[in-house]
Amino acid sequence: MKSKILGLSLLSFLMGSIVACSSFQIDRSDESAVAAKNLAEENEINNAERLLALARFEEARAQFKSFQGTYPQSFYFQSSRLGEAESLEGLGKWSEAVTIDRDVYEKTLKHQPAIAARALYRMSFAYEALGDDLKTLATLLDAYRMGSQLPSEVANAEIPARLASVYGKAGRDKEAMEYLNLAEKGIAKVREEKRDLDQTWLAKTYVQMGTVSTNQVSSENFEAAVEGQKMVQVYLIKAMQMNDPIWSQRGVDQAKNTYLVFLTLLQAQHGNRQLEANMGGSLSDLIEQAELFKPLQGQKVNSFEKDFFSYLQEVRKKIEDILYQTKETMSLTEESQRMNSVKRPGRAKVDALLPEEEKRPIQTPPKIVPTEDPNL
């Protein structure tokens, strides 16, 4: 009897061991499957982000959409929607982009605040391109308040720089300079924190800090747009100095496109000598500010800097051709000399848009003096 009981006990033990081993193998199999799925998701998101960084916006959008269809329950699902919205920005589909950003913000604010903060920040780019300065300012300020949820470079450098540009366009010099100083301190802090890391992040950050939409620029708001650009164009030049194959090129492209938009508007004023002089003078000021950061003769210059500053010389020549063209064969009168000179006008009267108690006298915009040697 005892041997029979012992045999049954041994059989039970063996069966239990087999079941336990099987469960262990199943658990290990499940873990491997989950790990493989996570790796596949990360690879797809990274590929889409890479296409976005390369400004291959249509391909990036398709990749993000494909990810959403394949992994609808993924942790990265809402992040992929932000990527899709940014791809739409690159394609100039601003209204579609802001619709996605707003929806992502509303769906993630409670449980994924980091994604919600990113959505707010991206909304600011779309609203700016749509010409809605009030919503641009509001979303930037809201994102700034959620800075603890954002990467340090975004919260401490990019957002303050963009706020400086928005306030600069509105003629709010005091606020613009306050945020510009915050941006300078912020980027210095982040550089110290990340000094041992690859510098690609810094080139990208500089591009984001210096990006100002020219989508809504016209002859009516030309002066204000130039003032906004004065606040931050230095960061595009710093991006070029980083000599990064992707983001330094993005800095060049952004800066050249901005000057092209301004120059095209100036050329469209053919025959209106007063407007040509005013706009040409402002654009010349912008060039002079940029050239503060031009490498001195004999100093090493990379291909991105060479491309940009050569382009500036072409723009300057075209401005001079516009400003000094004349059919007069006699000596210019004093009035004609004034009309044909490069003027340094004050700010356009954008204060008319502000509440009465916030209006202030029109002032010459502040010179942006580099806080570090521009040739380093």
Side-chain angles (χ1 to χ4, degrees):
M1 177 65 71
K2 287 184 179 180
S3 61
K4 184 177 181 180
I5 293 173
L6 182 62
L8 289 173
S9 299
L10 181 60
L11 179 62
S12 298
F13 173 77
L14 291 173
M15 291 296 293
S17 298
I18 293 171
V19 170
C21 289
S22 299
S23 298
F24 179 72
Q25 290 175 348
I26 291 172
D27 289 343
R28 289 291 298 271
S29 177
D30 287 344
E31 289 178 6
S32 297
V34 169
K37 179 176 176 292
N38 289 340
L39 181 60
E41 291 178 16
E42 290 177 10
N43 286 337
E44 284 205 35
I45 281 289
N46 289 337
N47 287 337
E49 293 285 354
R50 180 180 59 82
L51 292 170
L52 189 59
L54 292 170
R56 291 161 60 177
F57 300 116
E58 196 65 70
E59 295 174 69
R61 181 191 182 191
Q63 188 82 7
F64 284 120
K65 291 288 287 182
S66 173
F67 179 91
Q68 293 161 31
T70 306
Y71 304 106
Q73 304 300 320
S74 172
F75 175 79
Y76 303 108
F77 182 81
Q78 296 297 346
S79 291
S80 74
R81 296 187 68 209
L82 285 184
E84 179 191 357
E86 191 170 347
S87 301
L88 288 167
E89 290 175 31
L91 296 169
K93 298 179 180 181
W94 307 103
S95 295
E96 293 180 46
V98 81
T99 298
I100 294 175
D101 286 332
R102 189 187 303 112
D103 187 63
V104 171
Y105 170 74
E106 292 171 352
K107 289 179 177 177
T108 60
L109 181 59
K110 185 175 181 179
H111 298 295
Q112 293 177 292
I115 294 178
R118 284 173 53 202
L120 275 174
Y121 181 46
R122 292 315 312 178
M123 266 191 275
S124 74
F125 288 90
Y127 280 134
E128 183 182 35
L130 290 169
D132 195 329
D133 290 340
L134 288 177
K135 287 185 178 179
T136 301
L137 181 59
T139 50
L140 281 171
L141 289 173
D142 285 344
Y144 190 56
R145 295 185 190 103
M146 295 183 70
S148 62
Q149 301 295 331
L150 291 165
S152 180
E153 61 270 24
V154 175
N156 296 312
E158 293 181 24
I159 293 178
R162 286 182 52 71
L163 282 167
S165 175
V166 173
Y167 279 121
K169 285 193 293 183
R172 305 278 290 271
D173 288 349
K174 180 181 177 182
E175 293 92 336
M177 293 306 298
E178 286 174 353
Y179 279 108
L180 198 60
N181 288 332
L182 285 174
E184 284 293 300
K185 292 176 182 177
I187 195 65
K189 175 185 176 183
V190 179
R191 289 188 71 170
E192 178 63 23
E193 293 172 349
K194 297 189 175 186
R195 59 183 173 179
D196 296 329
L197 299 182
D198 180 89
Q199 296 293 285
T200 294
W201 72 267
L202 181 57
K204 178 181 178 180
T205 298
Y206 279 143
V207 171
Q208 298 283 72
M209 292 173 75
T211 295
V212 177
S213 174
T214 55
N215 200 50
Q216 301 293 330
V217 179
S218 66
S219 58
E220 287 75 22
N221 63 11
F222 185 90
E223 306 291 344
V226 171
E227 294 307 317
Q229 187 64 30
K230 278 184 180 179
M231 291 291 168
V232 295
Q233 75 165 341
V234 60
Y235 297 118
L236 294 179
I237 298 171
K238 288 184 176 183
M240 300 172 205
Q241 293 169 350
M242 299 303 298
N243 206 24
D244 182 82
I246 294 176
W247 291 101
S248 293
Q249 185 62 58
R250 290 282 290 272
V252 172
D253 293 343
Q254 177 67 34
K256 288 172 69 173
N257 180 69
T258 297
Y259 275 95
L260 177 61
V261 170
F262 288 153
L263 179 62
T264 301
L265 277 170
L266 173 59
Q267 292 170 327
Q269 311 311 313
H270 182 68
N272 188 333
R273 300 298 288 152
Q274 184 65 59
L275 200 53
E276 285 178 340
N278 289 341
M279 292 170 66
S282 293
L283 190 49
S284 294
D285 277 346
L286 190 63
I287 292 175
E288 288 180 6
Q289 187 203 60
E291 288 181 337
L292 288 173
F293 295 86
K294 183 178 180 179
L296 300 176
Q297 187 173 5
Q299 290 184 321
K300 186 176 181 180
V301 55
N302 66 42
S303 60
F304 304 108
E305 294 171 290
K306 183 177 181 180
D307 183 10
F308 174 63
F309 287 109
S310 295
Y311 180 74
L312 282 192
Q313 290 305 307
E314 296 175 18
V315 174
R316 184 188 290 280
K317 177 64 168 59
K318 291 178 180 178
I319 294 172
E320 291 174 352
D321 289 344
I322 292 170
L323 295 181
Y324 298 118
Q325 64 180 338
T326 178
K327 296 180 180 179
E328 296 170 291
T329 55
M330 300 176 63
S331 298
L332 296 178
T333 64
E334 183 178 346
E335 181 180 359
S336 295
Q337 290 174 12
R338 287 199 302 271
M339 291 291 289
N340 285 277
S341 65
V342 178
K343 297 194 174 183
R344 300 292 183 265
R347 186 186 330 286
K349 297 182 180 180
V350 292
D351 278 349
L353 301 175
L354 301 175
E356 189 66 34
E357 64 273 12
E358 295 188 19
K359 291 182 181 179
R360 61 195 67 184
I362 298 174
Q363 303 173 356
T364 302
K367 294 290 184 181
I368 308 301
V369 180
T371 57
E372 59 187 76
D373 186 344
N375 299 303
L376 291 179

